[in-house]
Amino acid sequence: MSIHIVALGNEGDSFHQDSRPSGLIRTYLGRSPLVSGDESSLLLSATSTVARPVFTEYQASAFGNVKLVVHDCPVWDIFDSDWYSSRNLIGGADIIVIKYNVNDKFSFHEVKDNYIPVIKRALNSVPVIIAAVGTRQNEELPCTCPLCTSDRGSCVSTTEGIQLAKELGATYLELHSLDDFYIGKYFGGVLEYFMIQALNQKTSEKMKKRKMSNSFHGIRPPQLEQPEKMPVLKAEASHYNSDLHNLLFCCQCVDVVFYNPDLKEVVEAHKIVLCAVSHVFMLLFNVKSPADIQDSSIIRTAQDLFAINRETVCPGASQDSPGNPPLRVIVKDALFCSCLSDILRFIYSGAFQWEELEEDIRKKLKDSGDVSNVIEKVKCILKTPGKINCLRNCKTYQARKPLWFYNTSLKFFLNKPMLADVVFEIQGTTVPAHRAILVARCEVMAAMFNGNYMEAKSVLIPVYGVSKETFLSFLEYLYTDSCCPAGIFQAMCLLICAEMYQVSRLQHICELFIITQLQSMPSRELASMNLDIVDLLKKAKFHHSDCLSTWLLHFIATNYLIFSQKPEFQDLSVEERSFVEKHRWPSNLYLKQLAEYRKYIHSRKCRCLVM
């Protein structure tokens, strides 16, 4: 049997530390005749106690064969640094000792403001001792001069200590010194009284448990084991930004070409990506009008930097593009044009890598003034209408938050005809889209639009086997890298669509959504829901969702008593039924033991104390 004591607070005098003896707990353990233990075994340093480094641990023997364990924490900062261990120790304490020095008001307020609220929350009929240690330095000085008044204010009065003890229902002790009288007889007497009470209570509880166990002579209640751990689903990392970055170099679905002032081709790009990050390009490509933007600086930037060439052919222009030829844009500023490829790479990468952009521009433009001029133009291009340029300090802004434009701004073009160059026909309705985004985000779409297929030259493309709502959710993921299905059924439909177009990350997102929804359902809802879990399993297997199908088998086995009562349970294959029966919870063995135990209880005509 053991007694656990937790000591909190600092009883040391901050003004007389050199003359102080050992602490209260250490002194008591070393002097009490009821406590045995030599000096070498008394202290276990906090560094060697890996499980609870917050406390200094003392171990000794009391009353001959009772193990005495004391955990002492003098500093609140250390106590608060490992809240989990500290809370567990206080919750498991048999006696709590709170100590402070009467000449150190800081230690008193640390106890009152920090330790006491924690103890109040965790206190459960545990005796508490409040020990005020030391002799007040100004107790015999009736002088009222400012200096003495200041000194008197630094001491903790008896009234304050008693009031603190009343709040906790604790025993209040004043220990003027740590000698044999105050430690051995005064503090030790009270502590040993509470130790005896704790031993009596533990002995009584032990006897009750023994009587309870003796009431079940032969058969004990069966122990229900925990169900098997469910398979862990590993999420696939997003490659959204790399997809859009690669679009710049693949030269597919190009619909705009930039030229220098000498009408030589500089770089190809995509309107949809440029408009997603910049209102300047929205104005240039007629997505928005000057009246919509209402920002003179953006309008001026578009007019000063770019001009659309309306001629039929420009020197060096590519003429083998199907459909409408790319729009030709002349860059008026020669310096800006020389750095345009770097600027577009910066935009296609997410428009946040400012340091790399500045470094690339500095390599091309040796003059620092020219570098600053180009950077300012880039900031104007990324400016939000009606707001002061928030990109004034690029490095500061980058450190605070990257500029992720695509996953928010591309949603502006979702299911809208602006800049759309393909239309999907689904269930009698049409859905406009943009080839550049589809090609960048989906390999099946890229092959469909760039291969020898009908879709490569057609504007209207029919879609079969998918509802409009599901296909719109699929497009939302391609445009924004996120989706939020309305429920398990829609998530399964979206998973099937993702498998059809080979978008593996969207499949994983749908799998995770279905698993999260099922795990959050209470047993009563699982029993009453109309969702066919076996049909869900078969669809997952048919569409090569191995992770979800394995998880669903484990889920059916874990909730065996619920799903085995449903008619669709009979639709499981022989192999699936064998797996479920093998991993079912609770197991057949447990149910058999439970039936035997109930039969035994009823035969003895006694009341089960466990169930």
Side-chain angles (χ1 to χ4, degrees):
M1 195 172 293
S2 62
I3 297 176
H4 296 264
I5 300 174
V6 174
L8 305 171
N10 183 14
E11 73 277 26
D13 188 347
S14 59
F15 297 104
H16 301 83
Q17 286 183 351
D18 297 337
S19 60
R20 298 295 307 168
S22 299
L24 173 63
I25 299 299
R26 183 75 179 272
T27 304
Y28 168 75
L29 295 175
R31 295 184 181 181
S32 175
L34 297 178
V35 178
S36 60
D38 56 25
E39 188 70 18
S40 61
S41 65
L42 187 60
L43 174 64
L44 295 179
S45 66
T47 55
S48 66
T49 312
V50 178
R52 294 187 177 90
V54 173
F55 290 79
T56 301
E57 181 178 302
Y58 301 92
Q59 291 188 6
S61 297
F63 307 112
N65 60 348
V66 177
K67 184 180 179 181
L68 184 63
V69 181
V70 183
H71 290 95
D72 188 7
C73 181
V75 182
W76 166 257
D77 290 339
I78 301 177
F79 178 90
D80 193 42
S81 65
D82 189 352
W83 170 242
Y84 181 79
S85 298
S86 305
R87 182 186 59 183
N88 287 347
L89 277 177
I90 290 180
D94 298 314
I95 303 169
I96 296 177
V97 178
I98 299 172
K99 45 197 174 62
Y100 63 88
N101 193 287
V102 295
N103 295 306
D104 186 0
K105 206 146 191 175
F106 175 79
S107 68
F108 174 77
H109 282 292
E110 187 176 67
V111 166
K112 184 178 179 181
D113 299 337
N114 296 328
Y115 290 113
I116 297 301
V118 175
I119 294 171
K120 281 182 178 180
R121 288 195 295 268
L123 202 57
N124 185 20
S125 66
V126 176
V128 179
I129 300 174
I130 295 181
V133 180
T135 304
R136 293 176 180 82
Q137 300 298 322
N138 54 11
E139 196 171 43
E140 298 178 1
L141 299 175
C143 179
T144 59
C145 69
L147 180 60
C148 295
T149 302
S150 175
D151 289 342
R152 186 179 293 108
S154 66
C155 295
V156 183
S157 65
T158 302
T159 306
E160 291 176 295
I162 293 174
Q163 183 62 35
L164 185 63
K166 285 182 179 179
E167 291 182 21
L168 286 177
T171 302
Y172 176 73
L173 304 177
E174 284 201 354
L175 311 176
H176 297 302
S177 65
L178 301 183
D179 56 17
D180 289 337
F181 171 76
Y182 283 105
I183 293 294
K185 295 182 180 180
Y186 193 23
F187 174 75
V190 175
L191 183 63
E192 288 153 13
Y193 168 76
F194 287 131
M195 289 166 61
I196 293 171
Q197 278 193 332
L199 286 174
N200 291 338
Q201 184 178 355
K202 289 189 175 186
T203 303
S204 176
E205 291 175 356
K206 191 174 181 180
M207 293 298 294
K208 286 181 181 179
K209 289 182 181 179
R210 185 174 298 173
K211 287 180 180 180
M212 185 182 296
S213 62
N214 289 338
S215 64
F216 307 104
H217 293 291
I219 301 180
R220 297 184 61 81
Q223 298 294 319
L224 180 60
E225 297 180 352
Q226 292 293 321
E228 291 186 15
K229 288 186 177 181
M230 304 293 282
V232 178
L233 218 65
K234 294 183 179 180
E236 183 180 336
S238 172
H239 38 80
Y240 183 79
N241 295 291
S242 61
D243 287 344
L244 291 172
H245 181 260
N246 294 336
L247 180 64
L248 179 63
F249 301 100
C250 71
C251 298
Q252 295 178 349
C253 304
V254 169
D255 55 6
V256 60
V257 181
F258 290 95
Y259 294 86
N260 64 13
D262 298 329
L263 298 182
K264 290 184 179 179
E265 183 178 324
V266 178
V267 66
E268 298 174 326
H270 308 83
K271 296 178 185 177
I272 180 70
V273 177
L274 299 178
C275 290
V277 298
S278 171
H279 285 79
V280 169
F281 289 114
M282 282 189 178
L283 187 62
L284 184 67
F285 302 139
N286 296 322
V287 175
K288 287 187 177 182
S289 66
D292 296 329
I293 294 178
Q294 293 183 348
D295 190 310
S296 59
S297 63
I298 291 179
I299 297 172
R300 188 168 55 253
T301 300
Q303 293 172 348
D304 294 345
L305 276 181
F306 305 107
I308 296 179
N309 189 305
R310 303 294 181 182
E311 296 180 12
T312 306
V313 178
C314 279
S318 169
Q319 301 183 42
D320 55 355
S321 300
N324 296 326
L327 182 68
R328 296 176 295 278
V329 177
I330 298 174
V331 184
K332 297 179 181 180
D333 189 311
L335 292 177
F336 186 87
C337 186
S338 66
C339 302
L340 186 59
S341 58
D342 297 317
I343 295 170
L344 289 184
R345 186 167 62 250
F346 163 76
I347 289 176
Y348 275 68
S349 298
F352 78 102
Q353 298 172 344
W354 285 99
E355 290 184 354
E356 293 183 15
L357 175 64
E358 289 187 43
E359 185 178 348
D360 291 339
I361 294 176
R362 196 173 287 111
K363 289 178 181 178
K364 291 188 175 181
L365 307 178
K366 305 302 181 181
D367 185 85
S368 60
D370 293 339
V371 173
S372 300
N373 185 28
V374 172
I375 290 294
E376 286 300 321
K377 286 182 171 60
V378 176
K379 295 176 188 177
C380 292
I381 288 176
L382 300 179
K383 182 178 182 292
T384 302
K387 292 186 179 180
I388 300 174
N389 198 342
C390 62
L391 307 174
R392 201 171 297 278
N393 188 336
C394 302
K395 294 182 180 179
T396 303
Y397 196 89
Q398 181 184 11
R400 187 169 80 248
K401 185 180 179 182
L403 293 174
W404 299 113
F405 283 100
Y406 299 123
N407 56 354
T408 55
S409 299
L410 278 179
K411 192 173 184 178
F412 176 76
F413 298 93
L414 177 63
N415 195 23
K416 291 183 181 178
M418 294 176 297
L419 303 178
D421 52 4
V422 63
V423 178
F424 293 99
E425 186 179 20
I426 312 166
Q427 295 180 333
T429 61
T430 57
V431 176
H434 306 82
R435 292 175 186 260
I437 302 303
L438 304 179
V439 166
R441 298 281 289 138
C442 176
E443 293 182 2
V444 171
M445 294 273 192
M448 184 174 70
F449 288 130
N450 294 288
N452 296 320
Y453 299 100
M454 176 188 70
E455 292 85 356
K457 298 180 180 179
S458 176
V459 175
L460 187 64
I461 300 175
V463 176
Y464 304 103
V466 180
S467 68
K468 180 182 177 182
E469 291 74 17
T470 301
F471 194 74
L472 280 175
S473 297
F474 173 71
L475 289 181
E476 181 183 3
Y477 170 78
L478 297 184
Y479 277 66
T480 67
D481 202 42
S482 64
C483 66
C484 187
I488 293 176
F489 177 75
Q490 187 183 357
M492 194 67 213
C493 294
L494 187 56
L495 185 147
I496 294 171
C497 182
E499 190 267 340
M500 183 168 66
Y501 288 101
Q502 297 296 298
V503 183
S504 59
R505 184 170 180 269
L506 179 57
Q507 283 184 269
H508 291 154
I509 291 175
C510 294
E511 290 174 344
L512 190 60
F513 178 87
I514 294 171
I515 289 172
T516 304
Q517 290 292 308
L518 290 174
Q519 279 183 326
S520 64
M521 288 185 182
S523 299
R524 183 173 297 179
E525 188 175 349
L526 283 175
S528 61
M529 71 174 183
N530 295 324
L531 182 67
D532 189 339
I533 198 76
V534 177
D535 180 60
L536 205 64
L537 169 65
K538 292 188 178 299
K539 285 181 178 178
K541 280 192 171 183
F542 183 80
H543 293 283
H544 310 290
S545 183
D546 297 333
C547 295
L548 180 60
S549 59
T550 303
W551 188 92
L552 286 173
L553 274 176
H554 278 274
F555 186 70
I556 294 172
T558 303
N559 297 275
Y560 182 88
L561 296 180
I562 294 175
F563 293 118
S564 62
Q565 303 301 317
K566 296 196 172 190
E568 61 264 21
F569 187 78
Q570 306 303 321
D571 297 334
L572 289 171
S573 65
V574 176
E575 182 184 354
E576 292 165 350
R577 179 75 69 88
S578 175
F579 179 91
V580 170
E581 293 291 345
K582 180 180 178 181
H583 298 85
R584 60 174 288 180
W585 185 87
S587 64
N588 274 324
L589 177 61
Y590 171 80
L591 294 178
K592 183 179 179 181
Q593 292 174 344
L594 182 61
E596 291 177 355
Y597 178 74
R598 284 175 173 171
K599 183 179 179 181
Y600 169 77
I601 292 298
H602 289 303
S603 67
R604 290 176 54 85
K605 296 182 179 180
C606 61
R607 183 169 178 268
C608 175
L609 299 176
V610 176
M611 304 194 61

